[in-house]
Amino acid sequence: MPLSLIICVILAALSLSCRQDSPSPPRPKLVVLIVVDQLRADLLDRYDTILKGGFRRLRDEGYRFSRATVDHAVTLTAPGLVTLATGTHPSRHGIVDAFFYEGPSGSRRLVAALADESEPIFEGRGEPGVSPRRILERTLPEWLAASDPAARVVVLGSGETSAAYLAGAFRGDVFWYSPAAGGYVTSAYYRKEAPQYLKSFQREKLPRLQEESNPWVEQVPDEGKAMAFPDMMSFEADGIHVVFPHRMESESAPEGAAGGAGLGGWLARTPDLDKATLQLAGGAVEALGMGKREGTDLLLLELSQVEAIGRRFGPFSLEQLDGLLKLDRELGSFLSLLERQAGGGGVLVALTSSHGVANVPEHERERGRAGRRLSVEQARAALDAMHRAAPGPGAARPSRDEQEALGRLDFIAEAMTPEILTGGETCDEFTSLYRNSYRADRVPAFPFSAMAEEGVGSEGIVVRLTRETLVGSDAAAGGSPYEYDRWVPLIFWGAGIPRGMSDQRVRTVDLAPTLGWLAGVPVPPGRDGRPLREVLSGIPAVR
């Protein structure tokens, strides 16, 4: 036998021996995904020195990615959550927007992504039924349940119907907060009755949390106040009720806000709703013994109040900072509970966001930048004038004529036809991002969601607004393909995760495949995302 072949055989045998002698790393007993909606990555950098709780531990003890981005254009909560749960783009999983035009060309109709009258809300207050039937890809909870039917899986959300976007077709403990009901609800698709831990929480703890939320008193330390914008900025909320403390009795809900009377509705306007969701999650973990068995359990959480507060007051407001610091404190307590439950090495946590957010347009103008706000009425008037100037009735015009007319409006950077969005030719970055947010049979309603009768989406056209342009009365909002709406945190912490940071570009679509890989859960083939094996150096693949 040639010497070179002998050497190869010896090296192969040594390699095999090393692999056999090295024990496989234990799988985490409890995997937890925390999605903080509209948490732009630079907010954690901006306030780094005053973060003392859960954000502090995750940043100091975990592995974080400084260049994590959303890889689709319509950067809103609904498509963002399903992307995180499935590892696929909206063009694949089907939830291109919370509301979209569904159907073939010529007969598209506007639908709510989760609407299903056949699946009523359990103990709701007249809310429409909900099911995941329009989600076209399987989610992480479904992957785990299929591979281990004994796994304990819980999906909870602060935002209305948020947990359903993360759960997909998984049936079980899937609950979200309803301001109208003043409590956590689900639809008949997921459960027919509440589990005992939820009944106990709603009866014993939730009323106290609702009572304590009024008034909302800020607790920002003095060193933090200089980091936020001064209170009482004219463009915050309604320009009147903008000074702490915020009281239910003196503040009416903003236009378009989720309904809900009394303290049940008020809680959804304060940071305390995320506190309630985290406490409910802790109760579920303890009651179900999650993290105590040999296999892997899964907890998915959506926390909505960074977005709820940011939409009213802006990302750099004192209200937003107060909410972040309170969430930081609650996350610290929650991480300690997880460690007690699953052991120091038994819990794996990932934290990210479904999308970022633009700055407040008025603040951009104060800094000499090109921020712009259009009211719904102004945008509607511009579109109406465009339609009157164009030849022929709007519904019958070819999409290319509509595209050219839209492109002449000064607040629109680009209008894209179905031919562009479904074409196979090479394209620029924006077109590529919009293709990830588009299906021929499902067209996003954004940015004219409040003007469905205008028919832009019904013709299959998608519109990109100019940078830092906002339509509507919210102080700030997401939805664009620009970097401020796509840049989000991504942090892994816990079982086997080394401390460190990477500036390699990764995407939110990579999260579910990565969690599946780390937990030893078979990941369906054909995902748009990939497990971050080569990036998370020091983390061995689970066998």
Side-chain angles (χ1 to χ4, degrees), residues 322-383:
D322 182 68
L324 279 172
L325 292 178
K326 289 173 178 173
L327 178 56
D328 179 48
R329 183 173 64 236
E330 295 303 321
L331 281 173
S333 300
F334 184 64
L335 293 179
S336 296
L337 180 149
L338 295 177
E339 287 180 312
R340 292 193 302 271
Q341 185 72 14
V347 61
L348 170 68
V349 174
L351 181 137
T352 189
S353 184
S354 56
H355 62 91
V357 65
N359 294 326
V360 177
E362 290 81 355
H363 178 246
E364 289 300 283
R365 290 205 301 271
E366 285 182 354
R367 298 196 293 175
R369 299 179 182 177
R372 183 175 184 180
R373 179 187 302 278
L374 284 84
S375 68
V376 170
E377 292 73 22
Q378 288 172 320
R380 179 179 286 117
L383 292 172

Side-chain angles (χ1 to χ4, degrees), residues 55-317:
F55 286 130
R56 174 82 286 129
R57 290 196 65 185
L58 291 171
R59 286 168 67 83
D60 288 353
E61 301 171 13
Y63 197 97
R64 57 191 174 102
F65 294 89
S66 61
R67 295 181 61 205
T69 58
V70 176
D71 217 24
H72 54 262
V74 182
T75 47
L76 299 171
T77 297
L81 291 177
V82 186
T83 291
L84 288 168
T86 64
T88 58
H89 298 308
S91 58
R92 292 271 306 283
H93 63 61
I95 306 303
V96 297
D97 195 344
F99 294 87
F100 50 81
Y101 292 91
E102 183 179 59
S105 176
S107 59
R108 297 185 182 95
R109 62 188 183 92
L110 188 66
V111 299
L114 297 179
D116 188 343
E117 294 181 359
S118 68
E119 302 288 358
I121 300 299
F122 171 71
E123 292 188 352
R125 298 294 186 273
E127 303 100 315
V130 165
S131 86
R133 66 183 179 85
R134 289 189 173 92
I135 299 177
L136 305 178
E137 294 285 344
R138 296 167 60 203
T139 60
L140 179 61
E142 294 176 78
W143 306 350
L144 178 58
S147 65
D148 181 3
R152 295 152 188 165
V153 180
V154 175
V155 189
L156 302 174
S158 297
E160 288 194 83
T161 71
S162 57
Y165 289 117
L166 289 173
F170 166 78
R171 294 178 186 264
D173 287 13
V174 179
F175 300 99
W176 58 86
Y177 189 79
S178 163
Y184 291 84
V185 302
T186 191
S187 86
Y189 177 90
Y190 293 108
R191 283 200 64 141
K192 306 300 183 185
E193 62 178 348
Q196 187 57 48
Y197 70 82
L198 179 57
K199 291 179 180 178
S200 298
F201 179 82
Q202 309 249 65
R203 181 178 61 250
E204 300 167 7
K205 293 186 177 181
L206 185 59
R208 174 177 52 81
L209 290 167
Q210 292 171 337
E211 185 72 29
E212 292 174 351
S213 71
N214 186 38
W216 172 9
V217 179
E218 63 93 359
Q219 299 175 357
V220 178
D222 290 342
E223 64 267 29
K225 286 185 170 67
M227 300 180 183
F229 290 172
D231 208 5
M232 203 173 171
M233 303 294 280
S234 61
F235 46 79
E236 291 184 3
D238 58 5
I240 300 172
H241 303 109
V242 296
V243 181
F244 279 110
H246 295 288
R247 299 180 183 276
M248 179 182 70
E249 298 81 3
S250 61
E251 298 189 25
S252 58
E255 181 181 356
L263 290 170
W266 174 254
L267 181 68
R269 303 183 68 203
T270 75
D272 288 339
L273 176 53
D274 284 343
K275 176 180 179 180
T277 300
L278 286 169
Q279 289 194 7
L280 174 59
V285 167
E286 292 178 327
L288 299 178
M290 299 178 74
K292 294 290 190 182
R293 65 189 193 95
E294 289 301 316
T296 297
D297 297 325
L298 178 64
L299 174 66
L300 273 63
L301 301 177
E302 181 270 353
L303 304 177
S304 65
Q305 295 312 91
V306 169
E307 176 167 23
I309 294 167
R311 289 177 72 93
R312 293 173 59 206
F313 299 102
F316 301 132
S317 62

Side-chain angles (χ1 to χ4, degrees), residues 446-459:
F446 184 86
F448 301 131
S449 306
M451 296 175 282
E453 69 274 15
E454 298 302 330
V456 172
S458 65
E459 294 190 17

Side-chain angles (χ1 to χ4, degrees), residues 386 401-415:
M386 178 202 77
D401 292 344
E402 181 90 343
Q403 173 200 21
E404 293 175 356
L406 285 165
R408 290 192 287 270
L409 297 177
D410 63 357
F411 59 91
I412 292 178
E414 183 180 15

